[in-house]
Amino acid sequence: MKRILVTGGSGFLGSHLCDKLLQEGNEVLCVDNLFTGRKSNIHHLTSHKNFEFMRHDITFPLYVEVDEIYNLACPASPVHYQFDPVQTTKTSVIGAINMLGLAKRLKIKILQASTSEVYGDPEIHPQPESYKGSVSTTGIRACYDEGKRCSETLFFDYHRQHGLDIKVMRIFNTYGPRMNPNDGRVVSNFIVQALRGEDITIFGDGSQTRSFCFVSDLIDGMYRLMNSRDGFTGPVNIGNPTEFTMLELAEIIIRLTDSKSKLIFLPLPQDDPMQRKPVIELAKTELDWEPKIKLEDGLKESIKYFSEVI
Ligand code: NAD
Ligand code: UDP
Ligand code: UDP
């Protein structure tokens, strides 16, 4: 039995990861400052004998004894990471240094939840891991994008300088149950608006694209990466390569919810990427992984969850 630290463990992805690790027979230490995470996401685990929650901000040092670290702490929705942008960068950079320092002291494996945002507003489509990205250093998304880019740099320097065993995962847009209804990301916004019969807020003309991965597929990929062969560091893209425009997404959600909501068009936020789709050949060959859940099926599960919580 391993004792595994999950930072950001009461967030959307983190809570599903805690479930998976417990199911596999591990002990889980969930560390979270509850900035965007919610106790309700882990409520069902609090009485589990192998689960422990610790309220802590990873920008401060953390001295615990564990066998493995999954570093997920960081707000992921643009609305939330732009709320306190300095704290967002601190979480990605100082938080990574602390978690890498912890992994170095304990000589243990550490996985970083990086992001497709390291590609910025990409000029290459779809995006392979070799693409170096097109990111603004000064715009409103930079606190997140540059913070995550720097965390990747730190991971690779701890690997080269201190021989640390690292796994770096570039996560593409993921959705599913336990997203916060006020999260601000597109899938949660559209479903909540459709269920409430409110206007669906399309930013820009809705022609921008994203490729949406259902949470169970994503967590499977994350677990496979952590347990991949020695010496495989990534970075590796994990995401669903089926691409949709935001207009298509809105239309599917209106149909699945049988909603009377109308579309309204609002200004496109600064630096909003126009297209995004992962190349997943590396994940296929190294992890024997590819996503299984189709968008409509994942949306149905998500709609069921949102209709229960709102
Ligand atoms: P989320 O906001 O639901 O979860 C993030 C968690 O981190 C929350 O529980 C929050 O309270 C916690 N947190 C934030 N700052 C912290 C700090 N300083 N100390 C301790 N805890 C802190 O978001 P999510 O979608 O679950 O994302 C999890 C990770 O995956 C993030 O690192 C995010 O950047 C990455 N990611 C997610 C997606 C996606 O589509 N969901 C895409 C790319 C990358
Ligand atoms: N750190 C931590 N827990 C540990 C070990 C280290 O939080 O168990 C933090 C510590 O605060 C330090 C950071 O990780 O600032 C980086 O550690 P490292 O050993 O790489 O650097 P140094 O201590 O030499 O600055
Ligand atoms: N978006 C939208 N309406 C919303 C929320 C988001 O049209 O209510 C758009 C947003 O401008 C972006 C896409 O949906 O082009 C995905 O946004 P999200 O915040 O989910 O993730 P990210 O931009 O980080 O991929």
Side-chain angles (χ1 to χ4, degrees), residues 61-63 97-98 101-102 104-105 158:
L62 177 67
Y63 287 83
I97 292 174
N98 286 329
L102 175 62
K104 180 183 137 202
R105 176 174 65 80
Y158 269 79

Side-chain angles (χ1 to χ4, degrees), residues 7-15 31-38 41 56-59 71-77 80 87 90-91 95 112-117 144 148 169-175 178-180 183 185 222:
T7 77
S10 62
F12 161 49
L13 296 181
S15 64
V31 164
D32 203 299
N33 68 353
L34 298 178
F35 173 52
T36 50
R38 294 173 301 162
N41 285 342
H56 172 83
D57 180 331
I58 63 157
T59 62
N71 187 36
L72 274 65
C74 186
S77 161
H80 289 128
Q87 172 67 11
K90 281 186 187 171
T91 295
Q112 170 66 358
S114 186
T115 168
S116 54
E117 288 289 322
Y144 182 76
K148 290 282 186 180
M169 168 174 186
R170 292 185 179 154
I171 302 173
F172 282 65
N173 296 65
T174 303
Y175 68 100
R178 298 197 199 141
M179 287 185 97
N180 191 329
D183 183 81
R185 280 178 276 189
M222 188 181 283

Side-chain angles (χ1 to χ4, degrees), residues 16 175-178 191 214-216 256 293-308:
H16 287 278
Y175 68 100
R178 298 197 199 141
I191 294 179
F214 190 63
V215 60
S216 58
L256 293 179
I293 310 289
K294 292 203 174 59
L295 182 67
E296 287 215 4
D297 296 333
L299 286 176
K300 282 180 195 156
E301 284 271 312
S302 311
I303 289 165
K304 204 170 116 213
Y305 154 79
F306 281 111
S307 49
E308 282 160 13

Side-chain angles (χ1 to χ4, degrees), residues 100 103-104 107-108 110 155 158-160 162-166:
L100 287 161
K104 180 183 137 202
K107 299 187 176 59
I108 58 172
I110 178 167
F155 268 68
Y158 269 79
H159 172 64
R160 281 185 290 258
H162 299 299
L164 216 65
D165 195 356
I166 61 159

Side-chain angles (χ1 to χ4, degrees), residues 35-201:
F35 173 52
T36 50
R38 294 173 301 162
K39 281 191 175 161
S40 60
N41 285 342
I42 50 164
H43 182 71
H44 61 293
L45 298 178
T46 44
S47 59
H48 196 298
K49 67 178 184 351
N50 292 335
F51 181 79
E52 189 182 347
F53 174 75
M54 182 194 280
R55 187 165 184 156
H56 172 83
D57 180 331
I58 63 157
T59 62
F60 296 96
L62 177 67
Y63 287 83
V64 291
E65 305 305 313
V66 290
D67 303 309
E68 238 171 40
I69 306 172
Y70 287 83
N71 187 36
L72 274 65
C74 186
S77 161
V79 180
H80 289 128
Y81 71 63
Q82 288 164 20
F83 174 76
D84 186 349
V86 173
Q87 172 67 11
T88 299
T89 306
K90 281 186 187 171
T91 295
S92 282
V93 177
I94 302 175
I97 292 174
N98 286 329
M99 292 309 102
L100 287 161
L102 175 62
K104 180 183 137 202
R105 176 174 65 80
L106 298 172
K107 299 187 176 59
I108 58 172
K109 201 162 34 170
I110 178 167
L111 180 147
Q112 170 66 358
S114 186
T115 168
S116 54
E117 288 289 322
V118 301
Y119 303 124
D121 191 3
E123 304 119 321
I124 288 187
H125 194 71
Q127 293 82 50
E129 289 85 353
S130 56
Y131 176 50
K132 294 201 173 70
S134 164
V135 179
S136 162
T137 57
T138 54
I140 56 174
R141 295 175 82 99
C143 60
Y144 182 76
D145 301 7
E146 292 293 343
K148 290 282 186 180
R149 286 170 68 95
C150 185
S151 69
E152 287 198 8
T153 306
L154 285 161
F155 268 68
F156 278 86
D157 281 331
Y158 269 79
H159 172 64
R160 281 185 290 258
Q161 196 173 330
H162 299 299
L164 216 65
D165 195 356
I166 61 159
K167 307 280 179 188
V168 175
M169 168 174 186
R170 292 185 179 154
I171 302 173
F172 282 65
N173 296 65
T174 303
Y175 68 100
R178 298 197 199 141
M179 287 185 97
N180 191 329
N182 303 316
D183 183 81
R185 280 178 276 189
V186 69
V187 175
S188 43
N189 272 10
F190 285 4
I191 294 179
V192 170
Q193 290 161 347
L195 289 173
R196 289 184 173 146
E198 295 168 359
D199 291 339
I200 305 260
T201 52

